[in-house]
Structures are given as C-alpha cells and as structure tokens.
C-alpha cells in the first residue's frame, strides 16, 4: 500500500472477522512509515485508544499480515467514501 485514494475524501479499509463472533475494521491513514515507505493503518479495538500497531507491537503497513487477533480472518480491502453515502 503505497498510495492513498486520489479524491482526497475516501479512504481504504480492511475488514477482519472473529469467526462466528464479530468483525473489525482497519483504516489506511495518510501517514507513511519512514522505514518501509508504506502507508500505515490504524484501528481501535474495543474501548482502547486508536493505534497503528498490531498485537505484536509492529506498525501496520499490510493488514493482511498484521496480528489483530481475535479478528484473525482477513476478508479483503474496500474503498470507503462516507461523504457519498446518504442515510434516510
């Protein structure tokens, strides 16, 4: 992940599943990890503060490889555009 959405309003998200329990989202931030040159991802597990590291303390640059257990099933990536959604 070396590129953010070009419209400046959307962001990439990554969906992870805790089998038969619930789901969890990670969001790609507009911050580059200097060591890898890759964009960092963040998430907010439960009542904890937002963080950009996984359960091993590693900076998240690829959610598919991050340890965000118990959400251990990576389902894929999506482009979220909240400003384009209308809820009636």
């Amino acid at each position: 992940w070396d590129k953010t959405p070009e419209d400046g309003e959307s962001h990439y998200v990554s969906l992870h599943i805790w089998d038969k329990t619930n789901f969890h989202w990670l969001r790609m931030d507009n911050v580059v990890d200097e060591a890898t040159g890759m964009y960092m991802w963040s998430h907010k597990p439960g009542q904890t503060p937002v963080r950009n590291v996984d359960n091993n303390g590693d900076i998240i640059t690829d959610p598919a490889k991050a340890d965000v257990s118990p959400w251990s099933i990576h389902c894929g990536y999506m482009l979220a555009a909240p400003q384009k959604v209308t809820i009636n």
Side-chain angles (χ1 to χ4, degrees):
W1 292 94
D2 58 0
K3 185 176 178 183
T4 59
E6 294 181 10
D7 66 8
E9 298 176 354
S10 304
H11 50 266
Y12 292 111
V13 293
S14 177
L15 177 60
H16 299 255
I17 301 292
W18 179 358
D19 194 30
K20 298 182 179 140
T21 304
N22 67 14
F23 59 92
H24 188 65
W25 295 96
L26 286 80
R27 183 185 77 174
M28 188 174 83
D29 300 318
N30 195 18
V31 179
V32 175
D33 176 34
E34 292 181 17
T36 64
M38 303 295 285
Y39 281 94
M40 292 190 281
W41 293 71
S42 61
H43 65 127
K44 186 182 182 310
Q47 300 300 315
T48 66
V50 174
R51 57 186 178 202
N52 63 358
V53 296
D54 67 8
N55 292 335
N56 297 319
D58 297 325
I59 291 174
I60 302 169
T61 57
D62 184 351
K65 296 178 182 175
D67 177 6
V68 291
S69 58
W71 302 280
S72 57
I73 302 168
H74 177 248
C75 298
Y77 302 97
M78 294 168 227
L79 181 63
Q83 74 284 358
K84 296 180 182 179
V85 174
T86 302
I87 299 173
N88 295 322

